[in-house]
Amino acid sequence: MASMDFPGGLRADGLPAALSDPARLAAVEATALLDTGPEEVFEDLASLASRITGSGRVFVTLVDAERSFWKACVGVDADALEDRQNPVEQSFCYFLVGLEGQPFIVDDAAADPRTEGHPSVGSMSIGAWAGYPLLDPKGHVLGSFCVIDDSPRAWSAADLATLETLARSVAAEIHLRQSLTSARAAHQRSADLAHSLQAALLPPRLREVPGVEAAASYLPASNRHRTDIEVGGDFYDLFHTRGTRYAAVLGDVCGKGVQAAQVSSMARYTVRADAGEADSPADLLGRLNTALLAQSASRFLTAVCTVFQPFPGGLSGVIALAGHPPALVRRADGRVEPLGTPGTLLGVMDTVRLTDVPFELAPGDLLLLYTDGATEARSRPGTAPEEARAIFDEADLATALAASHALDAAATITHLTTVLDAHHGGWASDDTALLALRVPPPS
């Protein structure tokens, strides 16, 4: 076999150096097709080439540094994966790799000076061979789409045009798969980032408060027409302030995404930092408003904050609302009462109107803080009219809360999330955060 001049030169074994190019090998590996079984789409394209050209054998190959792997093969009995390959030096496919994207056409393999004496001419009974490269978008040669006849033949212009078109089709299918794989990986990375950001807005576990049960839940909004994954702006926290006093805060930042997450995180930690110095929940939320304006945050938020202290047989506290729906108190007998005076949302105006409202919880009483995802639950868009449900409003939430009056804090949160899920059928129109504080009844 006469030597050929390849643009990239030769390896020590006399084969094209391009076979060992790291970038090309990485591209081949990225197809995720090496050592995989036959697939209909590739077998169909190979069969089509066989019918059109009248060739007895057709191959779709992937070529790494040492072998030619047959992803599809027509006219060859090779079911096991180990039979669907041959050493690269025994394959004409390395010519395509060495020629860096040019086709390789041989009418008479035994007589052509480029292939005479090639080991595969006899072992594979190659009379004529025609192959086109499988290229990735960057021009790396992944392998070949080739046809073989046992006897010499002159390949017609129509044969070659068909092979070139089918080779592009195979390459496009491979690229589509790579794109889908990359998209899925990127989507997963986005999901992981969103979950990490969301986790940063919520305490890993609620602070234990002596004499008080505490439970919370967070349900992100369902993706609607979005293909990306966005972090929500709801947050909650429960922490010690000073002495026997504790604070609970729950908020909802307008919008979603990284900016909303940043504002939520800043709000949560600002409340924690200022709680020891603030005189009341209204004062604490006013300080948060000042911090939001100083940060020039482009998002406003609503919030509910309570500062409380347990005592033997109960709990006393003060609550303030900043543009947020009223909290709900469920008495031990099942009665539900709204709690709090409407106030100004935060992050918009220098002066805000916030009112402290005192309250007490007796044994068996429960305080529920929630975001508006719990009072705006609705059916999935596109739901048939006869299946669509009315919006789950504050009256519905109060009814569901009253129905759970025998339950502790954790079971109450579970009950409410179950009721909401049943109403919206697993499709949440908005993020939903719930936080419950309950004074347990005597044993």
Side-chain angles (χ1 to χ4, degrees):
M1 180 180 66
S3 62
M4 286 185 59
D5 292 328
F6 294 109
L10 300 176
R11 300 193 309 198
D13 59 4
L15 297 178
L19 285 168
S20 300
D21 175 56
R24 191 194 74 83
L25 292 175
V28 173
E29 188 68 28
T31 66
L33 295 176
L34 286 171
D35 298 311
T36 61
E39 296 183 47
E40 187 175 10
V41 61
F42 298 116
E43 297 290 337
D44 285 350
L45 290 169
S47 296
L48 180 60
S50 178
R51 290 196 301 271
I52 292 176
T53 65
S55 302
R57 286 169 288 167
V58 183
F59 296 83
V60 173
T61 73
L62 295 162
V63 182
D64 62 18
E66 304 298 334
R67 59 177 174 153
S68 175
F69 175 74
W70 311 339
K71 179 59 183 174
C73 55
V74 172
V76 177
D77 185 14
D79 295 326
L81 285 180
E82 57 267 23
D83 297 329
R84 299 173 68 90
Q85 56 190 306
N86 61 345
V88 69
E89 67 270 13
Q90 296 178 19
S91 167
F92 279 14
C93 294
Y94 72 71
F95 288 105
L96 294 169
V97 177
L99 293 172
E100 298 182 351
Q102 298 302 311
F104 188 68
I105 313 299
V106 179
D107 293 341
D108 187 342
D112 193 305
R114 299 170 299 173
T115 57
E116 61 179 347
H118 192 285
S120 65
V121 172
S123 63
M124 294 189 67
S125 301
I126 299 178
W129 195 95
Y132 280 80
L134 302 178
L135 302 174
D136 79 351
K138 294 183 178 180
H140 297 121
V141 180
L142 306 174
S144 73
F145 187 87
C146 63
V147 294
I148 300 176
D149 257 3
D150 293 348
S151 302
R153 63 176 284 182
W155 300 102
S156 69
D159 291 334
L160 300 180
T162 296
L163 291 177
E164 184 176 16
T165 299
L166 293 178
R168 285 200 302 267
S169 298
V170 172
E173 174 67 21
I174 294 173
H175 178 51
L176 175 61
R177 290 169 180 236
Q178 290 178 289
S179 297
L180 289 174
T181 300
S182 298
R184 291 190 186 102
H187 187 74
Q188 186 59 51
R189 288 194 296 272
S190 295
D192 292 343
L193 175 60
H195 295 158
S196 297
L197 287 173
Q198 195 70 66
L201 307 183
L202 309 173
R205 59 190 298 269
L206 288 178
R207 172 68 183 260
E208 292 185 4
V209 179
V212 177
E213 300 169 356
S217 73
Y218 171 79
L219 175 68
S222 305
N223 284 339
R224 282 166 269 181
H225 303 297
R226 303 191 304 265
T227 56
D228 57 325
I229 298 176
E230 294 182 318
V231 63
D234 288 11
F235 66 95
Y236 61 79
D237 203 359
L238 173 62
F239 55 94
H240 178 255
T241 59
R242 62 177 183 264
T244 59
R245 300 174 68 189
Y246 293 83
V249 62
L250 181 145
D252 183 359
V253 176
C254 172
K256 301 186 184 301
V258 174
Q259 279 192 332
Q262 290 173 333
V263 173
S264 295
S265 181
M266 187 269 282
R268 179 185 166 200
Y269 290 108
T270 296
V271 170
R272 269 185 172 256
D274 288 349
E277 300 179 3
D279 295 327
S280 70
D283 182 25
L284 187 53
L285 292 178
R287 290 167 179 256
L288 175 57
N289 184 68
T290 300
L292 289 168
L293 294 175
Q295 291 287 334
S296 299
S298 59
R299 306 294 181 98
F300 61 83
L301 65 85
T302 70
V304 54
C305 179
T306 177
V307 176
F308 64 92
Q309 54 186 359
F311 59 83
L315 174 157
S316 64
V318 179
I319 195 168
L321 307 176
H324 206 80
L328 296 176
V329 174
R330 185 193 67 194
R331 298 302 178 185
D333 60 6
R335 291 178 296 115
V336 174
E337 309 162 355
L339 177 64
T341 299
T344 311
L345 56 81
L346 307 178
V348 178
M349 295 176 288
D350 292 331
T351 302
V352 291
R353 178 176 50 83
L354 303 169
T355 305
D356 288 315
V357 176
F359 69 94
E360 289 193 357
L361 298 183
D365 291 348
L366 178 143
L367 173 67
L368 177 69
L369 313 181
Y370 59 92
T371 57
D372 57 10
T375 54
E376 295 179 357
R378 65 196 70 192
S379 302
R380 182 190 300 268
T383 301
E386 63 273 12
E387 298 177 356
R389 299 176 179 87
I391 292 178
F392 191 91
D393 58 18
E394 292 181 10
D396 295 316
L397 181 62
T399 299
L401 184 60
S404 66
H405 73 275
L407 302 179
D408 63 17
T412 297
I413 293 297
T414 299
H415 171 74
L416 295 177
T417 56
T418 301
V419 171
L420 286 167
D421 184 75
H423 185 85
H424 57 54
W427 183 87
S429 61
D430 197 2
D431 304 319
T432 304
L434 303 171
L435 174 61
L437 302 172
R438 178 177 180 258
V439 178
S443 302

